[in-house]
Coordinates of all heavy atoms in Angstrom, one line a residue:
M21 N 0.8 -1.2 0.0 CA 0.0 0.0 0.0 C 0.9 1.3 0.0 O 1.8 1.3 0.7 CB -0.9 0.0 1.2 CG -2.3 -0.2 0.8 SD -3.4 1.0 1.6 CE -3.8 0.1 3.1
A22 N 0.5 2.2 -0.8 CA 1.3 3.4 -0.9 C 1.1 4.2 0.3 O 0.0 4.3 0.9 CB 0.9 4.2 -2.2
K23 N 2.2 4.8 0.7 CA 2.1 5.7 1.9 C 1.4 7.0 1.5 O 1.6 7.5 0.4 CB 3.5 6.0 2.4 CG 3.9 5.2 3.6 CD 5.1 5.9 4.3 CE 5.4 5.4 5.6 NZ 6.7 6.0 6.1
K24 N 0.7 7.6 2.4 CA 0.1 8.8 2.1 C 1.1 9.9 2.0 O 1.9 10.1 2.9 CB -0.9 9.2 3.2 CG -1.9 10.2 2.8 CD -3.1 10.3 3.8 CE -3.9 11.5 3.5 NZ -5.0 11.6 4.5
V25 N 1.1 10.6 0.9 CA 2.1 11.6 0.7 C 1.6 13.0 1.3 O 0.5 13.4 1.1 CB 2.3 11.8 -0.8 CG1 3.4 12.9 -1.0 CG2 2.8 10.5 -1.4
V26 N 2.5 13.6 2.0 CA 2.1 14.9 2.6 C 2.3 15.9 1.5 O 3.5 16.1 1.0 CB 2.9 15.2 3.8 CG1 2.6 16.6 4.3 CG2 2.7 14.2 4.9
V27 N 1.3 16.5 1.0 CA 1.4 17.4 -0.1 C 2.0 18.7 0.2 O 2.8 19.2 -0.4 CB 0.0 17.6 -0.7 CG1 0.1 18.5 -2.0 CG2 -0.7 16.3 -1.0
A28 N 1.6 19.2 1.4 CA 2.1 20.5 1.8 C 1.9 20.6 3.3 O 1.1 19.8 3.9 CB 1.4 21.6 1.1
S29 N 2.5 21.5 3.9 CA 2.3 21.7 5.3 C 2.0 23.2 5.6 O 2.1 24.0 4.7 CB 3.5 21.3 6.2 OG 4.5 22.3 6.0
L30 N 1.6 23.5 6.8 CA 1.4 24.9 7.1 C 2.5 25.4 8.0 O 2.2 26.2 8.9 CB 0.0 25.0 7.7 CG -1.2 24.9 6.8 CD1 -2.5 24.8 7.5 CD2 -1.2 26.0 5.8
E31 N 3.7 25.0 7.8 CA 4.7 25.4 8.6 C 4.9 26.9 8.6 O 5.0 27.4 7.5 CB 6.0 24.7 8.2 CG 6.8 24.2 9.5 CD 8.0 23.4 9.1 OE1 7.8 22.3 8.6 OE2 9.1 23.9 9.2
G32 N 5.0 27.5 9.7 CA 5.2 28.9 9.7 C 3.9 29.7 9.8 O 3.9 30.9 9.9
A33 N 2.8 29.0 9.7 CA 1.5 29.7 9.8 C 1.3 30.2 11.2 O 1.7 29.6 12.2 CB 0.4 28.7 9.4
V34 N 0.7 31.4 11.3 CA 0.4 32.0 12.6 C -1.1 32.4 12.7 O -1.7 32.8 11.8 CB 1.3 33.2 12.9 CG1 2.6 32.8 13.4 CG2 1.4 34.1 11.7
K35 N -1.6 32.2 13.9 CA -3.0 32.6 14.2 C -2.9 34.1 14.5 O -2.2 34.6 15.3 CB -3.5 31.9 15.4 CG -4.0 30.5 15.1 CD -5.5 30.5 14.9 CE -6.0 29.3 14.2 NZ -6.9 28.5 14.9
T36 N -3.8 34.8 13.7 CA -3.9 36.2 13.9 C -5.3 36.5 14.2 O -6.2 35.7 14.1 CB -3.4 37.0 12.7 OG1 -4.4 36.8 11.7 CG2 -2.1 36.6 12.2
D37 N -5.6 37.8 14.5 CA -7.0 38.2 14.8 C -7.9 38.0 13.5 O -9.1 37.8 13.6 CB -7.1 39.7 15.2 CG -6.5 39.8 16.6 OD1 -6.4 38.8 17.3 OD2 -6.1 41.0 17.0
E38 N -7.3 38.1 12.4 CA -8.0 37.9 11.1 C -8.2 36.5 10.8 O -9.1 36.2 9.9 CB -7.3 38.6 10.0 CG -6.9 40.0 10.2 CD -5.8 40.5 9.3 OE1 -4.6 40.3 9.8 OE2 -6.0 40.9 8.2
G39 N -7.5 35.6 11.3 CA -7.5 34.2 11.0 C -6.1 33.6 10.9 O -5.2 34.2 11.4
L40 N -6.0 32.5 10.3 CA -4.7 31.9 10.2 C -4.0 32.5 9.0 O -4.4 32.5 7.9 CB -4.9 30.4 10.0 CG -3.6 29.6 9.9 CD1 -3.0 29.5 11.4 CD2 -3.8 28.2 9.4
K41 N -2.8 33.0 9.4 CA -2.0 33.7 8.3 C -0.9 32.8 7.9 O -0.1 32.3 8.7 CB -1.5 35.0 8.9 CG -1.1 36.0 7.8 CD -0.9 37.4 8.4 CE -0.9 38.4 7.3 NZ -0.7 39.8 7.8
Y42 N -0.8 32.6 6.6 CA 0.2 31.7 6.1 C 0.8 32.3 4.8 O 0.1 32.6 3.8 CB -0.4 30.3 5.7 CG 0.6 29.3 5.1 CD1 1.7 28.9 5.8 CD2 0.3 28.8 3.8 CE1 2.6 28.0 5.2 CE2 1.1 27.9 3.3 CZ 2.3 27.5 3.9 OH 3.1 26.6 3.3
K43 N 2.1 32.6 4.9 CA 2.8 33.3 3.8 C 2.1 34.6 3.3 O 1.8 34.9 2.2 CB 2.9 32.4 2.5 CG 3.8 31.2 2.8 CD 4.0 30.3 1.6 CE 4.9 29.2 1.8 NZ 4.9 28.2 0.8
G44 N 1.6 35.3 4.4 CA 1.0 36.6 4.1 C -0.5 36.5 3.6 O -1.1 37.5 3.3
V45 N -1.0 35.3 3.6 CA -2.4 35.2 3.2 C -3.3 34.6 4.3 O -2.8 33.8 5.1 CB -2.5 34.1 2.0 CG1 -3.9 33.9 1.6 CG2 -1.6 34.6 0.8
I46 N -4.5 35.2 4.4 CA -5.4 34.7 5.5 C -6.0 33.4 4.9 O -6.7 33.4 3.9 CB -6.4 35.7 5.8 CG1 -5.8 37.0 6.5 CG2 -7.5 35.1 6.8 CD1 -5.1 36.7 7.8
M47 N -5.9 32.3 5.7 CA -6.4 31.1 5.3 C -7.8 30.9 5.9 O -8.0 31.1 7.1 CB -5.6 29.9 5.8 CG -4.1 30.1 5.4 SD -3.7 29.9 3.7 CE -4.0 28.1 3.5
E48 N -8.8 30.4 5.1 CA -10.1 30.1 5.6 C -10.1 28.6 5.8 O -9.5 27.8 5.0 CB -11.2 30.5 4.7 CG -11.3 32.1 4.7 CD -12.3 32.6 3.7 OE1 -13.0 31.8 3.1 OE2 -12.3 33.8 3.5
P49 N -10.9 28.1 6.8 CA -10.9 26.7 7.0 C -11.6 26.0 5.8 O -12.3 26.6 5.0 CB -11.8 26.5 8.3 CG -11.9 27.9 8.9 CD -11.6 28.9 7.8
I50 N -11.3 24.7 5.7 CA -11.9 23.9 4.6 C -13.4 23.8 4.8 O -13.9 24.0 5.9 CB -11.2 22.5 4.6 CG1 -11.5 21.7 5.9 CG2 -9.8 22.6 4.3 CD1 -11.6 20.2 5.7
V51 N -14.0 23.4 3.7 CA -15.5 23.2 3.8 C -15.7 21.7 3.8 O -14.8 20.9 3.5 CB -16.2 23.9 2.6 CG1 -16.1 25.4 2.7 CG2 -15.6 23.4 1.3
E52 N -17.0 21.3 4.0 CA -17.4 19.9 4.1 C -16.9 19.1 2.9 O -16.5 18.0 3.0 CB -18.9 19.9 4.2 CG -19.4 18.6 4.9 CD -20.9 18.6 4.8 OE1 -21.5 19.6 5.4 OE2 -21.5 17.7 4.3
K53 N -17.0 19.7 1.7 CA -16.7 19.0 0.5 C -15.2 18.6 0.4 O -14.8 17.8 -0.4 CB -17.1 19.8 -0.7 CG -18.6 19.7 -1.0 CD -19.0 20.7 -2.0 CE -20.4 20.7 -2.3 NZ -20.9 21.9 -3.0
C54 N -14.4 19.3 1.2 CA -13.0 19.0 1.2 C -12.6 17.8 1.9 O -11.5 17.2 1.8 CB -12.2 20.2 1.8 SG -12.3 21.7 0.9
E55 N -13.5 17.3 2.8 CA -13.2 16.1 3.6 C -12.8 15.0 2.7 O -13.6 14.6 1.8 CB -14.5 15.8 4.5 CG -14.7 16.8 5.6 CD -13.7 16.8 6.7 OE1 -12.8 15.9 6.7 OE2 -13.8 17.7 7.5
G56 N -11.7 14.4 3.0 CA -11.3 13.3 2.2 C -10.1 13.7 1.2 O -9.4 12.8 0.8
C57 N -10.0 15.0 1.0 CA -8.9 15.4 0.2 C -7.6 15.3 0.9 O -7.5 15.7 2.1 CB -9.2 16.9 -0.2 SG -7.9 17.6 -1.2
E58 N -6.6 14.9 0.2 CA -5.3 14.7 0.8 C -4.6 16.0 1.1 O -3.6 16.0 1.8 CB -4.4 13.8 -0.1 CG -4.8 12.3 0.0 CD -4.1 11.4 -1.0 OE1 -3.0 11.9 -1.4 OE2 -4.6 10.4 -1.3
R59 N -5.1 17.0 0.6 CA -4.4 18.3 0.8 C -4.8 19.0 2.1 O -4.1 19.9 2.5 CB -4.7 19.3 -0.3 CG -4.0 18.8 -1.6 CD -4.3 19.8 -2.7 NE -4.2 19.2 -4.0 CZ -3.1 19.2 -4.8 NH1 -2.1 19.9 -4.4 NH2 -3.1 18.7 -6.0
V60 N -5.8 18.5 2.7 CA -6.3 19.1 4.0 C -5.2 18.9 5.0 O -4.6 17.9 5.2 CB -7.5 18.4 4.5 CG1 -7.9 18.8 5.9 CG2 -8.7 18.6 3.5
V61 N -4.9 20.0 5.7 CA -3.9 20.0 6.7 C -4.5 20.5 8.0 O -5.1 21.6 8.1 CB -2.7 21.0 6.4 CG1 -1.7 21.1 7.5 CG2 -2.0 20.4 5.2
P62 N -4.4 19.7 9.1 CA -5.0 20.2 10.4 C -4.0 21.2 11.0 O -2.8 21.0 10.9 CB -5.1 18.9 11.2 CG -4.3 17.9 10.5 CD -3.9 18.4 9.2
F63 N -4.6 22.2 11.6 CA -3.8 23.2 12.3 C -4.6 23.6 13.5 O -5.7 24.1 13.4 CB -3.5 24.4 11.4 CG -2.5 25.3 12.0 CD1 -1.1 25.2 11.7 CD2 -2.9 26.4 12.8 CE1 -0.2 26.0 12.2 CE2 -1.9 27.2 13.4 CZ -0.6 27.0 13.1
E64 N -4.0 23.2 14.7 CA -4.8 23.4 15.9 C -6.1 22.8 15.8 O -6.2 21.6 15.4 CB -4.8 24.9 16.3 CG -3.3 25.3 16.7 CD -3.2 26.8 17.0 OE1 -4.2 27.5 17.1 OE2 -2.0 27.2 17.2
E65 N -7.2 23.5 16.1 CA -8.5 22.9 16.1 C -9.2 22.8 14.7 O -10.2 22.2 14.6 CB -9.4 23.7 17.0 CG -9.0 23.8 18.5 CD -9.0 22.4 19.2 OE1 -10.1 22.0 19.5 OE2 -7.9 21.9 19.4
E66 N -8.6 23.4 13.7 CA -9.2 23.5 12.5 C -8.4 22.8 11.4 O -7.3 22.4 11.6 CB -9.5 25.0 12.1 CG -10.4 25.7 13.0 CD -10.5 27.1 12.8 OE1 -9.5 27.8 13.0 OE2 -11.6 27.6 12.3
K67 N -9.0 22.8 10.2 CA -8.3 22.2 9.0 C -8.3 23.2 7.9 O -9.2 24.0 7.7 CB -9.1 21.0 8.6 CG -9.1 19.8 9.5 CD -9.8 18.6 8.9 CE -10.1 17.6 10.0 NZ -11.2 16.7 9.5
F68 N -7.1 23.2 7.3 CA -6.9 24.2 6.2 C -6.4 23.5 5.0 O -6.0 22.4 5.0 CB -5.9 25.3 6.7 CG -6.5 26.1 7.9 CD1 -6.2 25.7 9.2 CD2 -7.2 27.2 7.7 CE1 -6.7 26.4 10.2 CE2 -7.7 27.9 8.7 CZ -7.5 27.5 10.0
C69 N -6.4 24.3 3.9 CA -5.9 23.8 2.6 C -4.7 24.7 2.2 O -4.9 25.8 1.9 CB -7.0 23.9 1.6 SG -6.4 23.5 -0.1
P70 N -3.6 24.1 2.2 CA -2.4 24.9 1.8 C -2.4 25.2 0.3 O -1.7 26.1 -0.1 CB -1.2 24.0 2.1 CG -1.7 22.9 2.9 CD -3.2 22.8 2.6
S71 N -3.2 24.6 -0.4 CA -3.3 24.8 -1.9 C -4.2 25.9 -2.2 O -4.1 26.5 -3.3 CB -3.8 23.5 -2.6 OG -2.9 22.5 -2.3
Y72 N -5.2 26.2 -1.4 CA -6.2 27.2 -1.7 C -6.6 27.9 -0.4 O -7.1 27.2 0.5 CB -7.3 26.6 -2.5 CG -8.1 27.6 -3.3 CD1 -7.5 28.1 -4.4 CD2 -9.3 28.2 -2.8 CE1 -8.1 29.1 -5.2 CE2 -9.9 29.2 -3.6 CZ -9.3 29.6 -4.7 OH -9.9 30.6 -5.4
A73 N -6.5 29.2 -0.3 CA -6.8 29.9 1.0 C -8.3 29.9 1.3 O -8.7 30.0 2.4 CB -6.2 31.3 0.9
Q74 N -9.1 29.8 0.2 CA -10.5 29.9 0.5 C -11.3 28.8 -0.2 O -11.8 28.9 -1.3 CB -11.1 31.3 -0.1 CG -10.5 32.5 0.6 CD -10.8 33.8 -0.1 OE1 -10.5 33.9 -1.4 NE2 -11.3 34.7 0.5
P75 N -11.2 27.7 0.5 CA -11.8 26.4 -0.1 C -13.3 26.6 -0.5 O -13.8 26.1 -1.5 CB -11.7 25.4 1.0 CG -10.5 25.9 1.8 CD -10.6 27.4 1.8
A76 N -14.1 27.4 0.3 CA -15.5 27.6 0.0 C -15.6 28.2 -1.4 O -16.5 27.8 -2.1 CB -16.1 28.4 1.1
R77 N -14.8 29.1 -1.7 CA -14.9 29.8 -3.0 C -14.5 28.8 -4.1 O -15.0 28.9 -5.2 CB -13.9 31.0 -3.0 CG -14.6 32.2 -2.5 CD -14.3 33.3 -3.4 NE -13.8 34.5 -2.6 CZ -13.0 35.4 -3.1 NH1 -12.5 35.3 -4.3 NH2 -12.6 36.3 -2.3
K78 N -13.5 28.0 -3.8 CA -13.1 27.0 -4.8 C -14.3 26.1 -5.2 O -14.4 25.8 -6.4 CB -12.0 26.2 -4.1 CG -11.1 25.4 -5.1 CD -10.1 26.3 -5.7 CE -9.8 25.8 -7.1 NZ -9.2 26.8 -7.9
W79 N -15.0 25.7 -4.2 CA -16.2 24.8 -4.5 C -17.4 25.6 -5.0 O -18.3 25.0 -5.6 CB -16.5 24.1 -3.2 CG -15.5 23.0 -2.9 CD1 -14.5 23.0 -2.1 CD2 -15.5 21.7 -3.5 NE1 -13.8 21.8 -2.1 CE2 -14.4 21.0 -3.0 CE3 -16.3 21.0 -4.5 CZ2 -14.1 19.7 -3.3 CZ3 -16.0 19.7 -4.8 CH2 -14.9 19.1 -4.3
A80 N -17.4 26.9 -4.8 CA -18.6 27.6 -5.3 C -18.7 27.6 -6.8 O -19.7 27.7 -7.4 CB -18.5 29.1 -4.8
H81 N -17.6 27.3 -7.5 CA -17.6 27.2 -9.0 C -17.7 25.8 -9.5 O -17.4 25.5 -10.6 CB -16.2 27.8 -9.5 CG -16.0 29.2 -9.0 ND1 -16.8 30.3 -9.5 CD2 -15.2 29.8 -8.2 CE1 -16.4 31.4 -8.9 NE2 -15.4 31.1 -8.1
G82 N -18.1 24.9 -8.6 CA -18.2 23.5 -9.1 C -17.3 22.7 -8.2 O -17.4 22.7 -7.0
V83 N -16.4 22.0 -8.8 CA -15.5 21.1 -8.1 C -14.1 21.7 -8.0 O -13.6 22.2 -9.0 CB -15.4 19.7 -8.8 CG1 -14.4 18.8 -8.2 CG2 -16.8 19.1 -8.8
C84 N -13.5 21.6 -6.9 CA -12.2 22.1 -6.7 C -11.2 21.3 -7.6 O -11.2 20.1 -7.6 CB -11.8 21.9 -5.2 SG -10.0 22.3 -5.0
N85 N -10.5 22.0 -8.4 CA -9.6 21.4 -9.3 C -8.3 20.9 -8.7 O -7.5 20.2 -9.3 CB -9.3 22.3 -10.5 CG -8.7 23.6 -10.1 OD1 -9.1 24.2 -9.1 ND2 -7.7 24.1 -10.8
F86 N -8.1 21.2 -7.4 CA -7.0 20.7 -6.7 C -7.3 19.4 -5.9 O -6.4 18.8 -5.3 CB -6.4 21.7 -5.7 CG -5.8 22.9 -6.4 CD1 -6.2 24.2 -5.9 CD2 -5.0 22.9 -7.4 CE1 -5.7 25.3 -6.5 CE2 -4.5 24.0 -8.0 CZ -4.8 25.2 -7.6
A87 N -8.6 19.1 -5.9 CA -9.0 18.0 -5.0 C -8.4 16.7 -5.4 O -8.2 16.4 -6.6 CB -10.5 17.9 -5.0
T88 N -8.0 15.9 -4.4 CA -7.4 14.6 -4.7 C -8.4 13.5 -4.5 O -8.1 12.4 -4.9 CB -6.2 14.3 -3.7 OG1 -6.7 14.3 -2.4 CG2 -5.2 15.4 -3.8
H89 N -9.6 13.8 -4.0 CA -10.5 12.8 -3.7 C -11.7 12.7 -4.7 O -12.4 11.7 -4.7 CB -11.0 12.9 -2.3 CG -11.7 14.2 -2.0 ND1 -11.2 15.4 -2.4 CD2 -12.8 14.5 -1.3 CE1 -12.0 16.4 -2.0 NE2 -13.0 15.8 -1.3
V90 N -11.9 13.7 -5.4 CA -13.0 13.7 -6.4 C -12.5 14.4 -7.7 O -11.5 15.1 -7.7 CB -14.2 14.5 -5.9 CG1 -14.9 13.8 -4.8 CG2 -13.8 15.9 -5.6
R91 N -13.2 14.1 -8.8 CA -12.8 14.6 -10.0 C -14.1 15.1 -10.7 O -15.1 14.4 -10.7 CB -12.1 13.6 -10.9 CG -11.5 14.1 -12.2 CD -10.3 13.4 -12.6 NE -9.2 13.6 -11.7 CZ -8.2 12.7 -11.5 NH1 -8.1 11.6 -12.2 NH2 -7.2 13.0 -10.7
A92 N -14.0 16.2 -11.4 CA -15.2 16.7 -12.1 C -15.2 16.2 -13.5 O -14.2 16.1 -14.2 CB -15.2 18.2 -12.1
A93 N -16.4 15.9 -13.9 CA -16.6 15.5 -15.3 C -17.9 16.3 -15.8 O -18.8 16.5 -15.0 CB -16.9 14.0 -15.4
V94 N -17.9 16.7 -17.0 CA -19.0 17.4 -17.5 C -19.9 16.4 -18.4 O -19.3 15.7 -19.3 CB -18.6 18.6 -18.4 CG1 -19.8 19.3 -19.0 CG2 -17.8 19.5 -17.5
D95 N -21.1 16.2 -18.0 CA -21.9 15.2 -18.8 C -22.5 15.8 -20.1 O -22.2 17.0 -20.4 CB -23.0 14.6 -17.9 CG -24.1 15.6 -17.5 OD1 -24.2 16.7 -18.1 OD2 -24.9 15.3 -16.6
K96 N -23.3 15.1 -20.8 CA -23.8 15.5 -22.1 C -24.6 16.8 -22.0 O -24.6 17.6 -23.0 CB -24.6 14.4 -22.7 CG -23.8 13.3 -23.4 CD -24.7 12.1 -23.8 CE -24.4 10.9 -23.0 NZ -25.5 10.3 -22.4
E97 N -25.3 17.0 -20.9 CA -26.1 18.2 -20.8 C -25.3 19.4 -20.3 O -25.8 20.4 -20.1 CB -27.3 18.0 -19.8 CG -28.3 17.0 -20.4 CD -28.4 15.8 -19.6 OE1 -28.6 15.9 -18.3 OE2 -28.3 14.7 -20.1
G98 N -24.0 19.2 -20.2 CA -23.2 20.3 -19.7 C -23.2 20.5 -18.2 O -22.6 21.5 -17.7
K99 N -23.7 19.5 -17.5 CA -23.7 19.6 -16.1 C -22.5 19.0 -15.5 O -22.0 18.0 -16.0 CB -24.9 18.9 -15.5 CG -26.2 19.7 -15.5 CD -27.2 19.1 -14.6 CE -28.6 19.1 -15.1 NZ -29.3 17.9 -15.0
V100 N -22.0 19.6 -14.4 CA -20.8 19.1 -13.8 C -21.1 18.0 -12.9 O -22.0 18.1 -12.1 CB -20.1 20.2 -13.0 CG1 -18.9 19.7 -12.3 CG2 -19.6 21.4 -14.0
K101 N -20.5 16.9 -13.1 CA -20.7 15.7 -12.2 C -19.4 15.5 -11.4 O -18.3 15.6 -11.8 CB -20.9 14.5 -13.0 CG -22.3 14.3 -13.6 CD -22.5 13.1 -14.4 CE -22.3 11.8 -13.7 NZ -22.3 10.7 -14.5
V102 N -19.7 15.2 -10.1 CA -18.6 14.9 -9.2 C -18.3 13.4 -9.1 O -19.3 12.7 -8.8 CB -18.8 15.5 -7.8 CG1 -17.7 15.2 -6.9 CG2 -19.1 17.0 -7.9
N103 N -17.2 13.0 -9.5 CA -16.9 11.6 -9.4 C -15.9 11.3 -8.3 O -14.7 11.7 -8.3 CB -16.3 11.1 -10.7 CG -17.2 11.2 -11.9 OD1 -18.4 11.0 -11.7 ND2 -16.7 11.5 -13.0
P104 N -16.4 10.6 -7.2 CA -15.5 10.3 -6.1 C -14.5 9.3 -6.7 O -14.8 8.4 -7.4 CB -16.4 9.6 -5.1 CG -17.8 10.0 -5.5 CD -17.8 10.2 -7.0
L105 N -13.2 9.5 -6.3 CA -12.2 8.7 -6.9 C -12.1 7.3 -6.2 O -11.7 6.3 -6.8 CB -10.8 9.4 -6.8 CG -10.7 10.6 -7.7 CD1 -9.3 11.2 -7.6 CD2 -11.1 10.3 -9.1
K106 N -12.4 7.3 -4.9 CA -12.2 6.1 -4.2 C -13.5 5.4 -3.8 O -13.6 4.2 -3.7 CB -11.4 6.3 -2.9 CG -9.9 6.4 -3.3 CD -9.1 6.7 -2.1 CE -7.7 7.3 -2.5 NZ -7.1 8.1 -1.5
A107 N -14.5 6.2 -3.7 CA -15.8 5.7 -3.2 C -16.7 5.2 -4.3 O -17.7 5.7 -4.7 CB -16.6 6.9 -2.4
S108 N -16.2 4.1 -4.8 CA -17.0 3.5 -6.0 C -18.3 3.0 -5.5 O -19.3 2.9 -6.3 CB -16.2 2.3 -6.6 OG -15.7 1.5 -5.5
K109 N -18.5 2.6 -4.2 CA -19.8 2.2 -3.7 C -20.8 3.3 -3.8 O -21.9 3.1 -4.2 CB -19.6 1.7 -2.3 CG -19.3 0.2 -2.2 CD -19.1 -0.2 -0.7 CE -17.7 -0.6 -0.4 NZ -17.2 -0.2 0.9
R110 N -20.3 4.5 -3.4 CA -21.2 5.6 -3.4 C -21.7 5.9 -4.8 O -22.8 6.2 -5.1 CB -20.5 6.8 -2.8 CG -21.3 7.4 -1.7 CD -20.7 8.8 -1.3 NE -19.3 8.7 -0.9 CZ -18.5 9.8 -0.9 NH1 -19.0 11.0 -1.2 NH2 -17.3 9.7 -0.5
A111 N -20.7 5.8 -5.8 CA -21.1 6.1 -7.2 C -22.1 5.1 -7.7 O -23.0 5.5 -8.5 CB -19.8 6.0 -8.0
A112 N -22.0 3.9 -7.3 CA -22.9 2.8 -7.8 C -24.3 3.1 -7.3 O -25.3 2.8 -7.9 CB -22.4 1.5 -7.3
R113 N -24.4 3.7 -6.1 CA -25.7 3.9 -5.5 C -26.4 5.1 -6.2 O -27.6 5.2 -6.3 CB -25.5 4.3 -4.0 CG -26.8 4.5 -3.3 CD -26.7 4.3 -1.8 NE -25.4 4.7 -1.1 CZ -25.2 5.9 -0.6 NH1 -26.1 6.8 -0.7 NH2 -24.0 6.1 0.0
G114 N -25.6 6.0 -6.7 CA -26.2 7.2 -7.3 C -27.2 7.0 -8.5 O -27.0 6.1 -9.2
R115 N -28.2 7.8 -8.6 CA -29.3 7.7 -9.5 C -29.4 6.5 -10.4 O -29.2 6.4 -11.5 CB -29.5 9.0 -10.3 CG -28.3 9.4 -11.1 CD -28.2 10.9 -11.3 NE -27.4 11.3 -12.5 CZ -27.9 11.9 -13.5 NH1 -29.2 12.1 -13.5 NH2 -27.2 12.3 -14.5
Ligands
LIG2 S1 -7.4 21.1 -2.6 FE1 -9.6 21.7 -2.9 S2 -10.7 20.0 -2.1 FE2 -8.7 19.8 -1.3 S3 -8.7 20.8 0.7 FE3 -8.0 22.3 -0.9 S4 -9.9 23.4 -1.5 FE4 -10.5 21.5 -0.4

């Protein structure tokens, strides 16, 4: 079994009044859809994404293109479909 690769860390990040500051950027905590993504990094009580400071915004446009756990596909009607990469059981249950 392949070892889980640490994609990035939040080394040097500091908690400020505005939020978690990392490399001069305020990081927002991850959103529910990020759960399962290998890029999620826990920091103190919260989880953050070193790849994207505002995960909620990333998902507002469909599927996060940095996600390691899901992949977006556009179906014939032009709708974005989210394909879980590992959860084949869930996919089988779908519509
Ligand atoms: S890469 Fe995307 S899905 Fe993964 S934690 Fe960051 S924002 Fe969330």
Side-chain angles (χ1 to χ4, degrees):
M21 249 228 270
K23 256 197 169 172
K24 198 168 170 181
V25 181
V26 177
V27 186
S29 77
L30 287 171
E31 222 175 288
V34 278
K35 276 266 162 114
T36 69
D37 289 343
E38 303 158 274
L40 186 71
K41 202 168 192 176
Y42 177 60
K43 292 183 180 169
V45 177
I46 296 297
M47 310 289 289
E48 290 177 9
I50 61 149
V51 293
E52 205 184 301
K53 285 171 179 162
C54 295
E55 291 291 349
C57 178
E58 285 174 21
R59 292 182 204 263
V60 172
V61 173
F63 192 90
E64 291 176 8
E65 300 294 287
E66 293 172 295
K67 293 183 193 159
F68 296 91
C69 172
S71 303
Y72 203 75
Q74 295 169 309
R77 272 227 229 150
K78 199 77 209 160
W79 283 98
H81 302 293
V83 175
C84 172
N85 57 321
F86 295 131
T88 63
H89 60 319
V90 289
R91 186 150 293 157
V94 178
D95 69 13
K96 278 173 249 127
E97 290 115 54
K99 278 198 219 132
V100 176
K101 279 177 65 185
V102 180
N103 295 326
L105 295 183
K106 283 173 198 156
S108 47
K109 272 179 243 141
R110 236 193 299 163
R113 181 157 37 91
R115 57 209 202 115

